[in-house]
Amino acid sequence: MSSEKSTDRRPVIIFDLDGTLVSSMDDLVVTLNVILTEEGHQAIPPESVQTMIGHGAKVLLQRGLEANGVAWTEDSIAPMYSNFLAHYEAHIADHTRPFPGVVACLERLKARGFRLAVCTNKVERLTMPLLAALELTRHFNAIVGGDSFDKPKPDAAPVLGAIERSGGTKAGSVMVGDSVTDIDAARAAGIPVVAVDFGYTPVPVNELNPDRVISHFDALEAALDAVID
């Protein structure tokens, strides 16, 4: 990964991670349910976990407790969250893989002169080793996690920060994500957004009014061309 700030500033394509670049559901489900069952709670079905993802590991754990009817406080959840991070980090890519077409698409975009960034609400402690394990790090000029700035998505700061850290320019930059969090973050940052329809969202993305929706990474370049002025 390179974060150089060049005078050759180019548009940046900013990608969400879970549910956009990578299929990480299986590893997240396993980790959540290991932590919940260790505490004597019920495991959460995968189809329910899918609607809980997008705001980081702590919120996922909070929602898992709420699904069990368990009240939580920051103090009570702290040791569970620590255990979650440790377990997930140890099993971060047991089943997680890039979605079909991701690597080839990233290579084509870079060849066209775009800079590339990741902007996820997954904390840096987990984001960096996951990208490394999947051999994706080399594709990106910047990687922004949920704790890289004071506020995570849907705040604009992480998106704008990803553009800045990439040495890029906001003009011509586009967000690519799978949920309302990504769409709202792009809107807050003042850039277009392309949504994938195979990610993790309780509301179908075509109901959330992104600028374009794609069903495969083979379609991303045409969608970008349509939304970039």
Side-chain angles (χ1 to χ4, degrees), residues 92-116:
I92 201 159
D94 285 359
H95 305 287
T96 298
R97 298 292 182 270
F99 281 111
V102 163
V103 173
C105 181
L106 295 176
E107 290 174 345
R108 290 194 301 270
L109 291 173
K110 185 165 286 190
R112 288 181 57 176
F114 288 107
R115 298 200 174 184
L116 306 178

Side-chain angles (χ1 to χ4, degrees), residues 20-196:
T20 301
L21 286 174
V22 302
S23 175
S24 53
M25 177 62 61
D26 290 348
D27 289 324
L28 288 168
V29 169
V30 169
T31 298
L32 175 64
N33 286 331
V34 163
I35 302 308
L36 290 175
T37 55
E38 282 180 350
E39 294 291 323
H41 307 311
Q42 294 294 313
I44 308 296
E47 60 271 18
S48 296
V49 177
Q50 183 166 337
T51 68
M52 300 176 179
I53 293 172
H55 295 275
K58 181 178 285 188
V59 174
L60 175 59
L61 182 56
Q62 291 167 353
R63 289 175 175 174
L65 290 170
E66 291 164 1
N68 272 275
V70 176
W72 55 268
T73 65
E74 288 296 331
D75 287 341
S76 69
I77 204 172
M80 295 177 66
Y81 179 53
S82 178
N83 291 340
F84 183 106
L85 294 179
H87 185 278
Y88 183 64
E89 190 171 16
H91 299 274
I92 201 159
D94 285 359
H95 305 287
T96 298
R97 298 292 182 270
F99 281 111
V102 163
V103 173
C105 181
L106 295 176
E107 290 174 345
R108 290 194 301 270
L109 291 173
K110 185 165 286 190
R112 288 181 57 176
F114 288 107
R115 298 200 174 184
L116 306 178
V118 170
C119 183
T120 174
N121 278 348
K122 188 189 292 291
V123 295
E124 288 188 9
R125 169 183 169 182
L126 303 177
T127 298
M128 302 304 187
L130 175 56
L131 290 170
L134 298 179
E135 299 183 348
L136 292 176
T137 308
R138 62 187 175 87
H139 295 286
F140 299 102
N141 299 95
I143 298 170
V144 170
D147 55 347
S148 299
F149 292 88
D150 289 341
K151 294 182 180 179
K153 296 178 298 183
D155 195 87
V159 177
L160 296 174
I163 294 171
E164 178 64 24
R165 290 186 181 187
S166 298
T169 175
K170 178 178 164 181
S173 292
V174 181
M175 179 80 202
V176 181
D178 71 317
S179 71
V180 66
T181 305
D182 303 310
I183 294 169
D184 286 350
R187 299 294 184 225
I191 64 172
V193 56
V194 174
V196 302

